[in-house]
Amino acid sequence: MHQRSSLLCILLALFYVLISNSLVTAAPAEIPAPPPTQGKAVLLMDAHSGRVLYERNAHQRMSPASVTKIMTGLLVVENGNLNQTVEISKNAASTPESSVWLEEGEKITVCQLLYALMLNSANDASVALAESVAGSVEAFVELMNQRARELGMKNTNFRNPHGLEEDGHYTTAYDLGLLSREAMTYQTFSRVVATKTYKIPWANNDYERLLINKNRLLWRYDGAVGIKTGYTKKAGNCVVGAAQKGPLILIAISLNSPTVYPDLQALFDYGFANYHLLTVKKAEELSVEVPVLNGREETVVAYPQTDLMVAVTDAEEAQTSYTVHIDDEITAPVNEGQVVGHCTISVGGKEAGTIELIAGTSVAAKPPILDLLKRVISVAVKV
């Protein structure tokens, strides 16, 4: 009896081992845990879809230091005239700390100031650019906060265009991801932040100012394409970085970190090792008829602004889908390129990003009733 019990125990143990091995073999390979980082807030984002691949404290409000200048640069490329010549004001020339030694009355172009802003992190250039775009720093700050709201930066408030410490000036790693994703869609912006060195004129000197990009990632990481560094005593070392391998572009952020560059390098290595860019639907293959109220045409055809792409692991490919969302009430007039809805990309049933739907053509509004009556009366009189 004892022997039978022992034999039964051995058989059950062998059966358990076989089942366990079978289960282990059948289980999908897991993505390695993200490498350790020391930033108080870190984020890894797919630049195409906005999908967050990894984050820690990404929604915690932080002091951004000079990464603030990403918003300043974005507003310059969106609203400024790059060829415009700017006369440097006393206010700009006297801005403290990081600068390119602009002098009151000096004349320099917006484009040259943009390079000074993004490479040398020049505070004097940021004030000069703010004044050139909006007329004053105060008006420019209003534009900064308005644009932040448009981009969905819910935990951000700007008080200046350069990032020097000021009460009420804060953002988050996630909000900086949204901002950087938008800024990098502009060719001028992406070209500037990827530039290692650049020369601009220096008034009353026989030589030019040599600008050297403070973003060491451009020298240290293969595929790095930007974006911006920052430091104050309160904010600590902050870097928003971007890197590209093949079609995949990643944005990595580390705020208030004693090891900011190792943080970003580790995040990029993790992202490129485990994710690839999947095209869920090409833009030209997807069109949607959107109803238009009070229009000369009843509908307008809309298309995604870009291809529907998202960073996924091999295992996630089969779990990826998209849905189309049309704005409830689109009223004429509708302008070509106007946003009329969006596509939501989902991975494993979770929202992973959005792509805007834009109108392919313009739709004029119907003329007012009074105008129609006048036309009818005019026709009747002629008859």
Side-chain angles (χ1 to χ4, degrees), residues 288-292 297-302 330 334-335 340 358-363:
V288 183
E289 282 203 9
V290 180
V292 178
E297 288 83 32
E298 294 183 352
T299 61
V300 64
V301 178
I330 301 297
V334 176
N335 298 318
V340 293
I358 57 174
T361 58
S362 297
V363 177

Side-chain angles (χ1 to χ4, degrees), residues 30-190:
E30 292 184 359
I31 301 172
T37 51
Q38 296 192 51
K40 289 188 177 179
V42 295
L43 175 83
L44 180 66
M45 177 181 282
D46 165 26
H48 290 87
S49 67
R51 183 187 185 191
V52 174
L53 307 180
Y54 173 71
E55 63 88 12
R56 190 181 73 255
N57 299 328
H59 297 279
Q60 180 178 327
R61 292 179 177 180
M62 307 277 289
S63 179
S66 282
V67 295
T68 296
K69 295 183 176 84
I70 299 172
M71 176 61 86
T72 303
L74 172 61
L75 289 176
V76 169
V77 298
E78 287 183 331
N79 302 287
N81 177 358
L82 296 181
N83 297 319
Q84 176 190 349
T85 298
V86 176
E87 183 172 336
I88 302 303
S89 69
K90 181 179 180 180
N91 185 36
S94 61
T95 308
E97 298 189 29
S98 181
S99 71
V100 285
W101 305 283
L102 295 175
E103 299 177 10
E104 182 182 357
E106 177 182 353
K107 293 182 179 179
I108 191 168
T109 69
V110 168
C111 184
Q112 291 162 344
L113 288 170
L114 182 62
Y115 275 97
L117 176 82
M118 302 309 293
L119 273 64
N120 270 44
S121 198
N123 294 337
D124 48 0
S126 70
V127 172
L129 286 167
E131 292 173 343
S132 73
V133 170
S136 69
V137 170
E138 293 75 19
F140 188 81
V141 170
E142 289 184 13
L143 287 179
M144 295 174 76
N145 288 311
Q146 177 184 330
R147 194 70 178 97
R149 290 190 292 270
E150 292 170 354
L151 291 172
M153 299 170 66
K154 297 179 181 179
N155 288 293
T156 294
N157 187 65
F158 294 113
R159 297 296 299 275
N160 61 62
H162 38 63
L164 290 174
E165 291 301 340
E166 192 169 345
D167 289 343
H169 188 91
Y170 57 81
T171 188
T172 67
Y174 178 73
D175 284 2
L176 286 171
L178 297 178
L179 170 61
S180 301
R181 182 188 173 213
E182 177 69 13
M184 291 296 282
T185 64
Y186 288 88
Q187 187 175 11
T188 298
F189 184 95
S190 60

Side-chain angles (χ1 to χ4, degrees), residues 317-332:
E317 278 202 24
Q319 304 169 20
T320 306
S321 61
Y322 72 91
T323 52
V324 175
H325 306 270
I326 298 171
D327 290 354
D328 292 336
E329 291 189 357
I330 301 297
T331 304

Side-chain angles (χ1 to χ4, degrees), residues 166-223:
E166 192 169 345
D167 289 343
H169 188 91
Y170 57 81
T171 188
T172 67
Y174 178 73
D175 284 2
L176 286 171
L178 297 178
L179 170 61
S180 301
R181 182 188 173 213
E182 177 69 13
M184 291 296 282
T185 64
Y186 288 88
Q187 187 175 11
T188 298
F189 184 95
S190 60
R191 181 182 70 246
V192 170
V193 297
T195 302
K196 292 182 177 180
T197 62
Y198 195 78
K199 291 181 179 180
I200 62 173
W202 199 336
N204 303 318
N205 286 284
D206 297 330
Y207 47 88
E208 297 178 303
R209 295 176 173 96
L210 174 62
L211 307 178
I212 301 176
N213 201 319
K214 292 188 175 183
N215 184 4
R216 300 176 199 167
L217 197 68
L218 296 173
W219 282 271
R220 294 184 178 182
Y221 194 83
D222 184 28

Side-chain angles (χ1 to χ4, degrees), residues 279-287 303-304 307 322:
T279 300
V280 184
K281 193 78 171 178
K282 288 187 174 293
E284 64 266 23
E285 296 174 355
L286 176 61
S287 61
Y303 305 90
D307 292 343
Y322 72 91

